[in-house]
Structure formats: structure tokens, C-alpha cells
Amino acid sequence: MGSNLIGIIPAAGMGTRLGQLGNVLPKALLEVEGKSLLDHSLKLLESIGLTRAIIVVGHLESAIREHLSTIDSNLEITFVRQEKPLGLAHAIWCASSQIDADFVVLCPDNLYTEAQDLIDARERFARYEPAFLLLVTTEPSQQRDRRSYKICARKSPAANLFEYEESRPVDGGLELFSTGCVFLQKEALKFLPDFSQATEEHKFRDYLQDISRESVSLIHLLRGMRYDFSSPEDVQDFAQLQKRLSTTFGRGVSAILINEFGEILLQQRDDNPAIRYPGYWSLFGGTVEDSESPFAAVVREVEEEINFRLRNVGLFREFVQNNKREFAFAGEITARIDELTLSEGQGMKFFSPAELFELQIRPDDRETLENYFGVKHD
């Protein structure tokens, strides 16, 4: 499976979030770090071993064709036109006559910090042979129309890999968000609706649900970060973040550890006046060593501090604090409190989301938790 994988890049959108700029510039041609979003997507497809790509065009098609005539790419590129803006499933339907193998849909308005995430996803797509494999992250998208998914660790066949569920479970688990990338078997085309007379958009999540009712489908949780772009302001925010990161010294990690009941595990710091915030509650974490990645660091720190090996964990937030680059992760913890061994601090306890913000929590960890739950508490 997947040896002749085809890349599908939907680039026909109207770019309504661009305002007046969208009348003259396709969103896929927004420039980030000296290259268009479309260029980044093509390079990413090359990096995971693809040789063919179909670009679905529509709004300002000529601008995209002209741009691609000026760049070098090792991909064999085919263009397909989407006459009506009827959504992602419709874009695939428009390209379906050109799809003769398994394929990966990659929306160009996302950038990934770790190309290895997509390499791993392709390998898992080939190994487990799901009907589709959807890439998700623990960080909510700024685009309100992106679908969120809630999953449970008990349906995890491997680290950071979960079975797709049609309905959201009510008994805990991580809330995950689509990143605009999905690997699909060629046979998934038969689940597409007939758009020949369509006038309304068919929701992409409905298409995925139709597939999952017939075949096992999977969700792959990113270990790195993804940034999504829908406006020039997003590009400016990204540039400012990169500038701040370039002036930082040292790296740190923290972990939002969530059990099956949706409770968060916190550590109570020692009552030692020589340390910062003595007696406060905090997330588990520590310093990233020079030779390791943030992902490796958070796994190591949690194992050192409570003797638990994280399996399912994704990067939730990246920020700068006191000239230090911080990486906040969210992950599932499947052990009970009496199965853990605390090596730092004076105690640890699980708290419900309602209880969390009544506690005295270290300020940067409090901000991370507020970001995770989408709330602000004074």
C-alpha cells in the first residue's frame, strides 16, 4: 500500500479571510519564510517520497499556474479545476479521475515543524492499512471551521495512534484537532457523493464518517507543532514568534497529563524558599538537554519524576518565557496515583478542570492550562 502515493493539494479556495487581498492573491501563495505556502507543501510531499502531485485550482487559477512555472520541483504536477467552492470532499471528487493509487490530501495553509511526523504517518499508513489516516494535533486551530475530535487511549494500537471514532466519547480522553492532512486508500473514492448536480458543500467530516463505518480508520497524533495560516496577520504573528525564538537561551518542557476521567495530574513544589514559587502546584517537566529533542525531553522528564513512560503525547503550545523557549505537551496518563513514584516535590494529585483554577499554580503553567481549556481565570 502507498508505494505510488499521490499528493493532492487543494488550492481552489476563495481566500475570503484575506479580505481585499484575496481578490488578487490565492491563499496558497501567501509567503512564509521566503516561500509560498504552496511551495512549502510541494517540498513536504517530496520529503516523504512522493513523485506525483495533483493541484486542485479554481479561484485565481492563472496566478497559481504562473507561480509554479517559475519554481523547480521534482514532482510530476497535474492540474485539476474545481469550478464551485463546495469543500474538500468536492475537491477530491474533481480530481478522482486522475487518482489511480492511494493518496494523501495536504491543505497548503498548514506548516509542520517536524517533517518526520509526515514520514511516520506514511509509514503507519502502509503498515496498518487503514481506510484513512488523519493527522491531528492537541493545539486548536485558529480557523473556526476546523473539525475537532475526542479520542480515548484504550483504542490506541500504537504510540500516538488511535482508532477514528464517529461520535465523541464522554468518558475522557484528549481533544484533538485536524491539521488538514489525511492519507486515504484509493477505495475511499467510492464513498464520495455524486457532486454532478450539487450546489451545497458536503462536509468533509461526513465523508470520513461514511468511510469509517465500513473500514477501520486511524488518527495519528503529531509529535511536533503545526502552524495554520488564513490571513496576512497569521504570517506576521508567525514571523514575530520566530524572531522571539531566535533570541532565546535554553529550552524547557512541561506536560499536561490527563487521565481517563479528564483529570490533570499536578506536582506540588517543595516549601523551599530558595526555589521559585515554593509550595505552588505545577506541571511536570524540566530542561531540554543539548543533544535531545523536546519530545524526547518530556518523555524523559516524566519518567524521571513519576516513573511513568508516556506513549501518547503531542505538542500543544510553544512560547517564550524569561528568554527560554518552552514546549508544552499534552498526553494521556494511564496509571493510578498509587502506581506512580514521585521523585521531586512534596506531593502530586489529580484535579478536575473545575478544581484546577482554585489552586495556587505557577504562573506560566497556569497560562498553559488556560490555553488548553480555552478559559481565562483571574
Side-chain angles (χ1 to χ4, degrees):
M1 173 189 285
S3 59
N4 297 311
L5 200 66
I6 304 171
I8 311 292
I9 299 179
M14 298 294 291
T16 53
R17 298 184 188 89
L18 295 179
Q20 292 297 318
L21 181 61
N23 294 327
V24 296
L25 182 74
K27 183 167 65 172
L29 296 188
L30 272 177
E31 189 171 295
V32 179
E33 294 191 320
K35 294 193 297 185
S36 74
L37 291 172
L38 181 56
D39 295 346
H40 285 287
S41 294
L42 292 172
K43 184 61 67 175
L44 188 54
L45 292 179
E46 287 186 36
S47 73
I48 64 172
L50 271 63
T51 60
R52 302 165 59 196
I54 299 173
I55 300 180
V56 183
V57 293
H59 177 61
L60 297 176
E61 172 186 352
S62 60
I64 291 177
R65 286 179 175 269
E66 181 179 352
H67 172 78
L68 289 176
S69 70
T70 66
I71 67 170
D72 293 325
S73 175
N74 294 322
L75 293 168
E76 176 189 330
I77 296 176
T78 303
F79 293 95
V80 170
R81 182 165 177 81
Q82 183 180 15
E83 296 289 348
K84 305 174 185 177
L86 298 182
L88 186 53
H90 180 248
I92 297 172
W93 181 82
C94 292
S96 59
S97 63
Q98 305 292 322
I99 300 174
D100 56 7
D102 298 337
F103 57 103
V104 54
V105 178
L106 180 64
C107 294
D109 52 2
N110 283 267
L111 290 185
Y112 300 84
T113 61
E114 301 290 340
Q116 188 63 42
D117 269 322
L118 273 79
I119 295 172
D120 291 345
R122 180 179 182 179
E123 187 275 330
R124 286 177 160 192
F125 180 63
R127 181 195 303 177
Y128 292 97
E129 300 187 349
F132 68 77
L133 187 148
L134 178 70
L135 274 67
V136 297
T137 176
T138 55
E139 182 195 23
S141 170
Q142 297 302 312
Q143 300 182 32
R144 292 187 296 274
D145 56 353
R146 284 282 160 82
R147 166 70 169 163
S148 65
Y149 301 85
K150 201 164 189 179
I151 57 178
C152 290
R154 67 174 181 270
K155 293 191 175 182
S156 174
N160 283 46
L161 192 67
F162 303 85
E163 288 188 17
Y164 177 94
E165 293 188 357
E166 179 176 339
S167 59
R168 292 168 58 135
V170 296
D171 55 349
L174 292 176
E175 188 168 11
L176 302 176
F177 299 84
S178 168
T179 68
C181 180
V182 58
F183 291 75
L184 298 108
Q185 290 189 33
K186 179 187 174 185
E187 288 71 21
L189 294 174
K190 69 183 181 182
F191 294 96
L192 286 169
D194 181 4
F195 283 98
S196 56
Q197 303 297 322
T199 58
E200 296 182 357
E201 178 180 348
H202 181 85
K203 296 295 185 183
F204 189 64
R205 64 174 176 265
D206 294 338
Y207 171 52
L208 295 184
Q209 287 176 2
D210 289 343
I211 298 171
S212 68
R213 292 188 187 106
E214 300 291 331
S215 306
V216 173
S217 304
L218 297 176
I219 293 174
H220 175 83
L221 174 59
L222 297 184
R223 289 175 170 173
M225 181 73 81
R226 75 91 166 83
Y227 299 97
D228 61 335
F229 300 87
S230 61
S231 71
E233 289 75 21
D234 294 332
V235 178
Q236 294 167 10
D237 291 344
F238 178 77
Q240 291 171 2
L241 173 62
Q242 297 302 99
K243 183 177 180 180
R244 290 199 304 273
L245 294 178
S246 68
T247 61
T248 59
F249 304 93
R251 298 176 297 166
V253 292
S254 58
I256 301 174
L257 302 177
I258 309 160
N259 68 10
E260 61 179 323
F261 306 108
E263 298 170 324
I264 308 297
L265 182 65
L266 295 183
Q267 169 202 55
Q268 188 171 26
R269 297 166 67 82
D270 289 320
D271 282 321
N272 181 354
I275 66 172
R276 298 183 68 197
Y277 305 109
Y280 278 55
W281 291 92
S282 66
L283 299 172
F284 289 92
T287 299
V288 182
E289 303 294 343
D290 290 340
S291 60
E292 67 182 348
S293 68
F295 175 80
V298 76
V299 171
R300 173 184 55 76
E301 286 286 348
V302 170
E303 189 165 20
E304 289 176 355
E305 293 179 0
I306 57 174
N307 195 30
F308 177 78
R309 182 75 174 179
L310 280 172
R311 293 182 69 250
N312 295 313
V313 59
L315 185 60
F316 162 66
R317 182 177 178 234
E318 183 179 351
F319 60 102
V320 176
Q321 183 79 22
N322 298 322
N323 280 340
K324 191 175 184 181
R325 187 175 183 178
E326 298 284 351
F327 301 85
F329 290 81
E332 289 188 314
I333 182 165
T334 54
R336 301 188 309 270
I337 197 81
D338 59 358
E339 296 174 322
L340 302 173
T341 303
L342 183 68
S343 63
E344 294 183 18
Q346 60 177 305
M348 59 180 170
K349 185 178 178 181
F350 283 105
F351 295 96
S352 70
E355 295 172 318
L356 276 178
F357 300 104
E358 300 299 322
L359 302 172
Q360 194 174 42
I361 301 176
R362 193 172 65 169
D364 50 342
D365 290 340
R366 186 181 188 88
E367 184 178 347
T368 293
L369 289 165
E370 288 175 344
N371 272 270
Y372 183 78
F373 287 103
V375 296
K376 179 69 176 177
H377 289 267
D378 297 325

